[in-house]
Amino acid sequence: KDFFFSLFAGMVQKLDQKLPVANEYLLLSGGVREGVVDIDLDELNVYARGTDYDMDFTLLVPALKLHDRNQPVTLDMRHSALCHSWLSLRLFDEGTISKWKDCCTIVDHINGATNYFFSPTKVADWFYDSISIVLSEIQKKPQRGMPKVEKVEKNGTIISIILGVGSSRMLYDIVPVVSFKGWPAVAQSWLMENHFWDGKITEEEVISGFYLVPACSYKGKKDNEWRLSFARSEVQLKKCISSSLMQAYQACKAIIIKLLSRPKAISPYHLRSMMLWACDRLPASYLAQEDYAAHFLLGLIDDLQHCLVNKMCPNYFIPQCNMLEHLSEETVMLHARKLSSVRSDPAEHLRTAIEHVKAANRLTLELQRRGSTTSIPSPQSDGGDTNQPDDRLAKKLQQLVTENPGKSISVFINPDDVTRPHFRIDDKFF
């Protein structure tokens, strides 16, 4: 927490005062590669748990906020595919336009007016350059107890940072986003339908906000097109999903990440969308059965098979958007055949997935054991004995993640009031 507080709210903000001073970041358990958010980038480098990192997270960092509207947010979708939008800075004040116009594409109209469209690629370039400058300064003046920066890489519009904390390595995928309070007009009709979460959480909790993330459609213009993300709402909806169904989801995710990774077509985000649809479709009494995890696993495999054969997987919040529409017939049938092999013997495929996890854990423990025997001090420490408290912090964070599967951590950064709790897992503060 302290590291990213100083990185974004402090040093990056001081470079050119572009970021909002009081900002709220969303920290999700799991990296972009695991489909935590709806971003499918070809440029993502391959990192392996155990070899490259021990824990992974996704951090959504708002570059812009639009939080002063009490009506549905209307976005400029004239040039975009469904679930995508361009963002004109006309929605913001002149000060914001002046700060960010170097990260925009410019469109001149016939009437002489100039429109600045916030560019996801240029914003990502600015994020990477700014973070690189700040991390270089941190490395010049190391402070006791600060994590060791082991790797910083730009993966398309995502910045991946691997931090060494004691003997643990944490991968953070930093995603620059635009944050909105309220709800997009394009998803307004979804609110009119009946849903499994009705009566369990309030509508205000579900529609408290949404994001634009830097990812374009398969035929879109990368420099201009953003994708709508409902990550904040998904955090709330997870509260209403039974533990046995979440277990089945985690098991199915572990299987498909390995089996369906080539060619890249299906991500855990598709699987999560199917799970939410299943929650709307099936009786609550059935989904609440504590000993039905195996039934739910088979059901998720069948639902995914059905989506592939029909090349149809509607976005949960914008159902008219088919997330598999761009795939070729050859690709969907290849994955459908692979999934048939899983359905014929799911236990064997699950055992294989578990063995992969065990192997990664063994590799992590071996690397930690080697590190403890060599006792090489972190170049970002002063040589003092900082490993022990760092280890406790890393183990505590790992325990929180393990005890709260499928849940997300929200982080509130406010430099004017550092007395408030910063980490929140759902409704609990830590």
Side-chain angles (χ1 to χ4, degrees), residues 2 77 140 166 222 227 360 367:
D2 291 337
M77 298 182 170
K140 288 178 185 175
K222 287 186 177 182
R227 182 173 296 166
L367 290 171

Side-chain angles (χ1 to χ4, degrees), residues 392-405:
R392 289 201 300 270
L393 174 62
K395 288 172 182 175
K396 175 62 177 175
L397 183 55
Q398 192 158 23
Q399 180 185 355
L400 290 177
V401 173
T402 303
E403 292 175 351
N404 296 273

Side-chain angles (χ1 to χ4, degrees), residues 4 8 59 61 127 131 157-161 172-176:
F4 284 109
F8 289 110
L59 185 65
V61 180
F127 254 74
I131 290 172
T157 52
I158 308 302
I159 294 90
S160 298
I161 301 176
Y172 289 89
D173 285 323
I174 312 296
V175 185

Side-chain angles (χ1 to χ4, degrees), residues 31 44 69 146 156 166 186 193 240 249 261 286 353 384 388 395 429:
L44 285 176
R69 296 194 169 195
M146 289 292 278
V186 69
E193 305 294 333
C240 307
Y249 165 75
S261 60
Y286 171 71
Q388 190 59 37
K395 288 172 182 175
F429 285 92

Side-chain angles (χ1 to χ4, degrees), residues 173-201:
D173 285 323
I174 312 296
V175 185
V177 300
V178 182
S179 172
F180 294 86
K181 278 284 174 66
W183 200 245
V186 69
Q188 200 69 18
S189 60
W190 176 80
L191 294 175
M192 305 297 109
E193 305 294 333
N194 294 323
H195 297 290
F196 71 98
W197 47 267
D198 291 338
K200 297 177 182 176
I201 53 177

